Amino acid sequence: MPRDIDPRLLRGFVAAAEDLHFTRAAARLYVAQQALSRDIRRLERELGAELFVRTTRQVTLTAEGERLLPYARGVLAAQDALLAARAAGERPLLVDLNSEGMVSGRVLARARELVPRHELMARFESGLTRAATEILAGRLDASFGYADGLAPALRSGLAQQLVRYEQLAVLLPYDHPLAARAEVPLDALAGESVYAGAGNPGTLEWTDLARQLFAGRSIALAPPAPMAVGAEEFRRVMAKHRTPVLAVVDFPEMPGAVLRPLVGPVPLSPLSLVWRKGLKHPGVDALRAAADALATREGWLEHIPGSWLPTTVTTSMPDNP
C-alpha cells in the first residue's frame, strides 16, 4: 500500500463508483472522460487491485472497490471539512476605497460576489500615499489610486494592476462663475487656485498629478488646508474658502458644490489596484478578476485620443514575492 494517495484520485473513484458511468462521473467533476479513466487506472496501480469491472454495457464495482468506497468517502469528507475550516478562519482582507461612492466600491462589490465565503472589509484612508504606508506596515491589504505618483520606496513593496482611466473634474461652489457650464475647459481655470491636497502627507500622489496637470496653464495649487471630513464639514469649508477642488467625474455629490468634468484636453488619472507584494489571499484574486471584468465590460481602459495623462503611467507591476 502507498503511504500517500492523491485526494484527486479518490474523488474520481468515488464519483465513478456512485454513477457507475465514467462519462457522467467525468462531467460531474468537470474533467475529460479520458483524464478520469487515467486517474482510476493510476489508483488501481497504486493499490495493486482492480476497482471496477468494465464491459461495453456497464461498469460495476469489484469487491475491492466496494471495500474501498466508504474509506475514500471518509477521507474526502475530512479534506472538505479542513478546507471549509481554513476558509472560515481566513482573516478578512482590508481594502481601502479612499472615499465612498467611487469606482473602487464597485470593484469591491463585484469581488465580494465572486468569493462570498471570504470577508472583504472596506476602509477609507483618503489618500493612496497614506494607504500604501498602511499596506506595507500590514495594517491594510489593498487600495486604489494613482500608484505611479507614489514615492519609489513605497512602490517597491507593492504590486499593482491598472483598473481604469478616470476623467478628472473640478468641484466648484454652486454660485462660482464656471458652475453654469456643463464642462470646464482647463484654460478657464487660469488664474484660479485649485485645491489638490497640497500639504497633506497622505495624498502626495494626488498633489503630484495636479502639479503635472496645472504646469504651464497658469493654474495654481491652493495652499495647504485642513482636510474636510464628512459632507457637512465639506459644505462649511467650501462656503468659507470657495476654493475649487480637483476631483474625478465619479466623485460623490457634495452639498454646496457642483461637479464639472474638465476638458480641452480631457485629463485622465490612471486608477490602479495596489496590494502588498507576496500577499496570497482569495480576496486579492477576486479584486483583480472583478477589476478585469468591469474594465472589459465598460471600457475602463480606453481613453479619448488626445487626452492628457501624467508623464508616468505603468500598466502593471508584477507581484514577485
Side-chain angles (χ1 to χ4, degrees):
M1 285 286 292
R3 290 181 58 85
D4 299 298
I5 297 176
D6 187 338
R8 189 188 82 249
L9 305 183
L10 293 178
R11 203 168 293 278
F13 163 70
V14 169
E18 291 175 347
D19 287 344
L20 294 177
H21 194 286
F22 276 42
T23 302
R24 284 198 298 268
R28 174 174 153 191
L29 296 171
Y30 300 100
V31 300
Q33 188 268 329
Q34 294 88 343
L36 176 61
S37 295
R38 279 198 305 272
D39 283 350
I40 295 296
R41 287 195 296 272
R42 177 182 160 191
L43 180 61
E44 289 176 328
R45 285 196 304 272
E46 291 188 3
L47 296 175
E50 293 255 344
L51 301 175
F52 294 95
V53 176
R54 307 167 182 82
T55 69
T56 55
R57 291 181 171 274
Q58 64 178 358
V59 175
T60 57
L61 281 169
T62 65
E64 284 296 322
E66 293 278 6
R67 190 166 72 90
L68 176 64
L69 184 57
Y71 293 103
R73 283 174 170 154
V75 169
L76 295 176
Q79 184 193 39
D80 290 343
L82 174 63
L83 294 175
R86 184 179 183 277
E90 188 105 49
R91 69 172 183 80
L93 190 80
L94 303 181
V95 185
D96 168 49
L97 303 182
N98 191 284
S99 298
E100 293 189 74
M102 309 284 278
V103 161
S104 52
R106 293 184 58 196
V107 175
L108 176 61
R110 177 62 184 135
R112 284 170 171 162
E113 292 174 356
L114 295 176
V115 285
R117 291 169 58 181
H118 296 274
E119 189 64 75
L120 281 67
M121 299 291 295
R123 295 290 186 268
F124 301 94
E125 288 296 326
S126 190
L128 185 58
T129 297
R130 178 181 289 113
T133 303
E134 294 293 288
I135 289 172
L136 296 183
R139 292 186 290 268
L140 266 180
D141 296 308
S143 186
F144 295 82
Y146 172 46
D148 294 324
L150 293 173
L154 292 177
R155 290 189 68 211
S156 65
L158 300 173
Q160 77 179 76
Q161 174 177 318
L162 184 63
V163 173
R164 186 186 189 190
Y165 292 111
E166 294 192 294
Q167 184 177 353
L168 294 176
V170 63
L171 275 164
L172 299 161
Y174 72 93
D175 57 352
H176 190 282
L178 295 175
R181 303 194 184 196
E183 300 174 327
V184 174
L186 283 165
D187 289 347
L189 288 174
E192 295 272 3
S193 289
V194 179
Y195 182 71
N200 182 349
T203 59
L204 297 179
E205 79 294 338
W206 188 246
T207 305
D208 172 68
L209 183 145
R211 188 176 288 111
Q212 292 185 55
L213 177 63
F214 297 166
R217 302 182 191 276
S218 299
I219 306 171
L221 276 172
M227 187 175 67
V229 178
E232 179 54 31
E233 191 68 1
F234 182 92
R235 182 204 62 74
R236 184 188 67 79
V237 171
M238 177 65 79
K240 181 177 180 180
H241 298 285
R242 301 183 53 76
T243 304
V245 177
L246 185 67
V248 295
V249 292
D250 288 328
F251 199 78
E253 291 185 9
M254 286 291 167
V258 294
L259 184 69
R260 296 291 181 258
L262 291 170
V263 294
V266 171
L268 301 175
S269 170
L271 178 77
S272 291
L273 165 67
V274 301
W275 64 97
R276 188 168 54 259
K277 278 187 176 179
L279 174 62
K280 304 299 180 185
H281 192 290
V284 172
D285 297 335
L287 285 170
R288 299 186 67 185
D292 271 339
L294 288 168
T296 300
R297 188 178 74 197
E298 303 194 16
W300 283 358
L301 296 180
E302 300 170 7
H303 54 87
I304 303 166
S307 55
W308 178 91
L309 280 167
T311 54
T312 303
V313 179
T314 301
T315 57
S316 65
M317 187 187 302
D319 183 8
N320 295 318

Coordinates of all heavy atoms in Angstrom, one line a residue, residues 29-74:
L29 N -17.3 16.0 -12.5 CA -16.1 16.5 -11.9 C -15.5 17.6 -12.8 O -14.4 18.2 -12.5 CB -15.1 15.4 -11.8 CG -15.4 14.3 -10.7 CD1 -14.4 13.2 -10.9 CD2 -15.4 14.9 -9.3
Y30 N -16.1 17.9 -13.9 CA -15.6 18.9 -14.9 C -14.2 18.5 -15.4 O -13.3 19.4 -15.5 CB -15.6 20.3 -14.3 CG -16.9 20.8 -13.8 CD1 -17.3 20.7 -12.5 CD2 -17.8 21.3 -14.7 CE1 -18.5 21.2 -12.1 CE2 -19.1 21.8 -14.3 CZ -19.4 21.7 -13.0 OH -20.7 22.1 -12.6
V31 N -14.0 17.3 -15.8 CA -12.8 16.8 -16.4 C -13.2 16.0 -17.6 O -14.3 15.5 -17.8 CB -12.0 15.9 -15.4 CG1 -11.6 16.8 -14.2 CG2 -12.7 14.7 -15.0
A32 N -12.2 15.7 -18.4 CA -12.4 14.8 -19.6 C -12.5 13.4 -19.1 O -11.9 13.0 -18.2 CB -11.3 15.0 -20.6
Q33 N -13.3 12.6 -19.9 CA -13.5 11.2 -19.5 C -12.2 10.4 -19.6 O -11.9 9.6 -18.7 CB -14.5 10.6 -20.5 CG -15.0 9.2 -20.1 CD -14.1 8.1 -20.8 OE1 -13.6 8.3 -21.9 NE2 -13.9 7.0 -20.1
Q34 N -11.3 10.8 -20.5 CA -10.0 10.1 -20.6 C -9.2 10.4 -19.4 O -8.5 9.5 -18.9 CB -9.3 10.6 -21.9 CG -10.0 10.2 -23.2 CD -11.0 11.2 -23.6 OE1 -11.4 12.1 -22.9 NE2 -11.4 11.2 -24.9
A35 N -9.3 11.7 -18.9 CA -8.5 12.0 -17.7 C -9.0 11.2 -16.5 O -8.2 10.7 -15.7 CB -8.6 13.5 -17.4
L36 N -10.3 11.1 -16.4 CA -10.8 10.3 -15.2 C -10.4 8.8 -15.4 O -10.0 8.2 -14.3 CB -12.4 10.4 -15.2 CG -13.0 9.5 -14.2 CD1 -12.6 9.9 -12.8 CD2 -14.6 9.6 -14.3
S37 N -10.4 8.3 -16.6 CA -10.0 6.9 -16.7 C -8.6 6.7 -16.4 O -8.2 5.7 -15.7 CB -10.2 6.4 -18.2 OG -11.6 6.4 -18.5
R38 N -7.7 7.7 -16.7 CA -6.3 7.6 -16.4 C -6.1 7.6 -14.9 O -5.3 6.9 -14.3 CB -5.5 8.8 -17.0 CG -5.1 8.6 -18.4 CD -4.0 9.6 -18.9 NE -4.4 10.9 -18.6 CZ -5.0 11.7 -19.4 NH1 -5.4 11.3 -20.6 NH2 -5.3 13.0 -19.1
D39 N -6.9 8.5 -14.2 CA -6.8 8.6 -12.7 C -7.2 7.3 -12.1 O -6.6 6.8 -11.1 CB -7.6 9.7 -12.2 CG -6.9 11.1 -12.4 OD1 -5.8 11.1 -12.8 OD2 -7.6 12.1 -12.2
I40 N -8.3 6.7 -12.6 CA -8.7 5.4 -12.0 C -7.7 4.3 -12.2 O -7.3 3.5 -11.3 CB -10.0 4.9 -12.6 CG1 -11.2 5.9 -12.3 CG2 -10.4 3.5 -12.2 CD1 -11.5 6.0 -10.8
R41 N -7.1 4.2 -13.4 CA -6.0 3.2 -13.6 C -4.8 3.5 -12.7 O -4.2 2.5 -12.2 CB -5.6 3.3 -15.1 CG -6.6 2.7 -16.0 CD -6.0 2.4 -17.4 NE -5.6 3.6 -18.1 CZ -6.4 4.3 -18.9 NH1 -7.6 4.0 -19.1 NH2 -5.9 5.4 -19.4
R42 N -4.5 4.8 -12.5 CA -3.3 5.1 -11.6 C -3.6 4.6 -10.2 O -2.8 4.0 -9.5 CB -3.0 6.6 -11.7 CG -1.9 7.0 -10.7 CD -1.7 8.5 -10.8 NE -1.0 8.9 -9.6 CZ -0.8 10.2 -9.2 NH1 -1.3 11.2 -10.0 NH2 -0.2 10.5 -8.1
L43 N -4.9 4.9 -9.7 CA -5.2 4.5 -8.4 C -5.2 3.0 -8.2 O -4.7 2.4 -7.2 CB -6.6 5.0 -8.0 CG -7.2 4.7 -6.6 CD1 -6.3 5.3 -5.6 CD2 -8.6 5.2 -6.5
E44 N -5.7 2.3 -9.3 CA -5.6 0.8 -9.2 C -4.2 0.3 -9.2 O -3.9 -0.7 -8.4 CB -6.3 0.2 -10.4 CG -7.9 0.4 -10.4 CD -8.6 -0.1 -11.6 OE1 -8.0 0.0 -12.7 OE2 -9.7 -0.5 -11.5
R45 N -3.3 0.9 -9.9 CA -1.9 0.5 -9.9 C -1.3 0.8 -8.5 O -0.5 -0.1 -8.0 CB -1.1 1.3 -10.9 CG -1.3 0.8 -12.4 CD -0.2 1.3 -13.3 NE 0.0 2.8 -13.2 CZ -0.7 3.6 -14.0 NH1 -1.6 3.1 -14.9 NH2 -0.6 4.9 -13.9
E46 N -1.6 1.9 -7.9 CA -1.0 2.2 -6.6 C -1.5 1.3 -5.5 O -0.8 0.9 -4.6 CB -1.3 3.7 -6.2 CG -0.6 4.7 -7.1 CD -0.8 6.1 -6.6 OE1 -1.4 6.3 -5.5 OE2 -0.3 7.1 -7.2
L47 N -2.8 0.9 -5.6 CA -3.4 0.0 -4.6 C -3.1 -1.5 -5.0 O -3.3 -2.4 -4.1 CB -4.9 0.2 -4.5 CG -5.3 1.6 -4.0 CD1 -6.9 1.7 -4.1 CD2 -4.9 1.8 -2.6
G48 N -2.7 -1.8 -6.2 CA -2.5 -3.1 -6.6 C -3.7 -4.0 -6.7 O -3.7 -5.2 -6.3
A49 N -4.8 -3.3 -7.0 CA -6.1 -4.0 -7.1 C -7.0 -3.4 -8.1 O -7.0 -2.2 -8.4 CB -6.8 -3.9 -5.7
E50 N -7.9 -4.3 -8.7 CA -8.9 -3.8 -9.7 C -10.1 -3.3 -8.9 O -10.5 -3.9 -7.9 CB -9.3 -5.0 -10.6 CG -8.3 -5.5 -11.5 CD -8.5 -5.0 -13.0 OE1 -9.7 -4.6 -13.3 OE2 -7.6 -5.1 -13.8
L51 N -10.5 -2.1 -9.2 CA -11.6 -1.5 -8.5 C -13.0 -1.5 -9.3 O -14.0 -1.5 -8.7 CB -11.3 0.0 -8.2 CG -10.0 0.2 -7.4 CD1 -9.7 1.7 -7.3 CD2 -10.2 -0.4 -6.0
F52 N -12.9 -1.7 -10.6 CA -14.1 -1.7 -11.4 C -14.0 -2.9 -12.4 O -12.9 -3.3 -12.9 CB -14.3 -0.4 -12.2 CG -14.5 0.8 -11.4 CD1 -13.5 1.6 -11.0 CD2 -15.8 1.1 -11.0 CE1 -13.7 2.8 -10.2 CE2 -16.0 2.3 -10.2 CZ -15.0 3.1 -9.8
V53 N -15.2 -3.4 -12.7 CA -15.3 -4.3 -13.8 C -16.0 -3.6 -15.0 O -17.1 -3.1 -14.8 CB -16.2 -5.6 -13.5 CG1 -16.4 -6.5 -14.7 CG2 -15.5 -6.4 -12.3
R54 N -15.3 -3.4 -16.1 CA -15.8 -2.6 -17.2 C -16.2 -3.5 -18.4 O -15.4 -4.3 -18.8 CB -14.8 -1.6 -17.7 CG -14.2 -0.7 -16.6 CD -13.0 0.0 -17.1 NE -12.3 0.9 -16.1 CZ -11.4 0.4 -15.2 NH1 -11.2 -0.9 -15.1 NH2 -10.9 1.3 -14.4
T55 N -17.4 -3.4 -18.9 CA -17.8 -4.0 -20.1 C -18.3 -3.0 -21.0 O -18.4 -1.8 -20.6 CB -18.9 -5.1 -19.8 OG1 -20.1 -4.4 -19.5 CG2 -18.5 -6.1 -18.7
T56 N -18.7 -3.4 -22.2 CA -19.2 -2.4 -23.2 C -20.6 -1.9 -22.7 O -21.1 -0.9 -23.2 CB -19.3 -3.0 -24.6 OG1 -20.1 -4.2 -24.5 CG2 -18.0 -3.2 -25.1
R57 N -21.3 -2.7 -21.8 CA -22.6 -2.3 -21.4 C -22.7 -1.7 -20.1 O -23.6 -0.9 -19.8 CB -23.5 -3.6 -21.4 CG -23.8 -4.1 -22.8 CD -24.7 -5.4 -22.8 NE -25.1 -5.8 -24.1 CZ -26.1 -5.3 -24.7 NH1 -26.9 -4.4 -24.2 NH2 -26.4 -5.7 -25.9
Q58 N -21.8 -2.0 -19.2 CA -21.9 -1.5 -17.8 C -20.6 -1.5 -17.1 O -19.6 -2.0 -17.5 CB -22.9 -2.4 -17.0 CG -22.5 -3.8 -16.8 CD -23.5 -4.6 -16.0 OE1 -24.5 -4.0 -15.5 NE2 -23.2 -5.8 -15.8
V59 N -20.6 -0.7 -16.0 CA -19.5 -0.6 -15.0 C -20.0 -1.0 -13.7 O -21.0 -0.5 -13.2 CB -18.9 0.8 -15.0 CG1 -17.8 0.9 -13.9 CG2 -18.4 1.3 -16.4
T60 N -19.3 -1.9 -13.0 CA -19.6 -2.3 -11.7 C -18.4 -2.3 -10.8 O -17.3 -2.4 -11.3 CB -20.2 -3.8 -11.7 OG1 -19.3 -4.7 -12.2 CG2 -21.5 -3.8 -12.4
L61 N -18.6 -2.2 -9.5 CA -17.5 -2.3 -8.5 C -17.1 -3.7 -8.3 O -17.9 -4.6 -8.2 CB -17.9 -1.6 -7.2 CG -17.9 -0.1 -7.2 CD1 -18.6 0.4 -5.9 CD2 -16.5 0.4 -7.2
T62 N -15.8 -3.9 -8.1 CA -15.3 -5.2 -7.6 C -15.4 -5.2 -6.1 O -15.8 -4.2 -5.5 CB -13.8 -5.4 -8.0 OG1 -13.0 -4.4 -7.3 CG2 -13.6 -5.2 -9.5
A63 N -15.1 -6.4 -5.5 CA -15.1 -6.5 -4.1 C -14.2 -5.5 -3.4 O -14.5 -4.9 -2.4 CB -14.8 -7.9 -3.7
E64 N -13.0 -5.3 -4.1 CA -12.0 -4.3 -3.5 C -12.6 -2.9 -3.6 O -12.3 -2.1 -2.8 CB -10.7 -4.5 -4.3 CG -9.8 -5.7 -3.9 CD -9.4 -5.6 -2.5 OE1 -9.1 -4.5 -2.0 OE2 -9.4 -6.6 -1.8
G65 N -13.3 -2.6 -4.7 CA -13.9 -1.3 -4.9 C -14.9 -1.1 -3.8 O -15.0 0.0 -3.3
E66 N -15.8 -2.1 -3.6 CA -16.8 -1.9 -2.5 C -16.1 -1.7 -1.2 O -16.6 -0.9 -0.4 CB -17.6 -3.2 -2.5 CG -18.5 -3.5 -3.7 CD -19.8 -2.7 -3.7 OE1 -20.0 -1.9 -2.8 OE2 -20.6 -2.9 -4.6
R67 N -15.0 -2.4 -0.9 CA -14.4 -2.2 0.4 C -13.7 -0.8 0.5 O -13.7 -0.2 1.6 CB -13.3 -3.3 0.6 CG -12.7 -3.4 2.0 CD -12.0 -4.7 2.1 NE -10.7 -4.7 1.4 CZ -9.6 -4.2 1.9 NH1 -9.5 -3.8 3.1 NH2 -8.5 -4.3 1.2
L68 N -13.2 -0.3 -0.6 CA -12.5 1.0 -0.5 C -13.5 2.2 -0.4 O -13.2 3.2 0.2 CB -11.7 1.2 -1.8 CG -10.9 2.5 -2.0 CD1 -9.9 2.7 -0.9 CD2 -10.3 2.6 -3.3
L69 N -14.7 2.0 -1.0 CA -15.6 3.2 -1.1 C -15.9 3.9 0.2 O -15.7 5.2 0.2 CB -16.9 2.7 -1.8 CG -17.9 3.8 -2.1 CD1 -17.3 4.9 -3.0 CD2 -19.1 3.2 -2.8
P70 N -16.3 3.3 1.3 CA -16.5 4.1 2.5 C -15.3 4.8 3.1 O -15.4 5.9 3.6 CB -17.1 3.0 3.5 CG -16.6 1.7 3.0 CD -16.6 1.9 1.5
Y71 N -14.1 4.2 2.9 CA -12.9 4.8 3.4 C -12.6 6.0 2.6 O -12.2 7.1 3.1 CB -11.7 3.8 3.4 CG -11.9 2.7 4.3 CD1 -12.3 1.4 3.9 CD2 -11.7 2.9 5.7 CE1 -12.4 0.4 4.8 CE2 -11.8 1.8 6.6 CZ -12.2 0.6 6.2 OH -12.4 -0.4 7.0
A72 N -12.7 5.9 1.2 CA -12.5 7.1 0.3 C -13.4 8.2 0.7 O -13.0 9.4 0.7 CB -12.6 6.6 -1.1
R73 N -14.7 7.9 0.9 CA -15.6 8.9 1.2 C -15.2 9.6 2.6 O -15.4 10.8 2.7 CB -17.0 8.3 1.4 CG -17.7 8.0 0.1 CD -19.0 7.3 0.3 NE -19.8 7.2 -1.0 CZ -20.7 6.3 -1.2 NH1 -20.9 5.3 -0.3 NH2 -21.4 6.3 -2.3
G74 N -14.8 8.8 3.5 CA -14.3 9.4 4.8 C -13.1 10.4 4.6 O -13.1 11.4 5.2

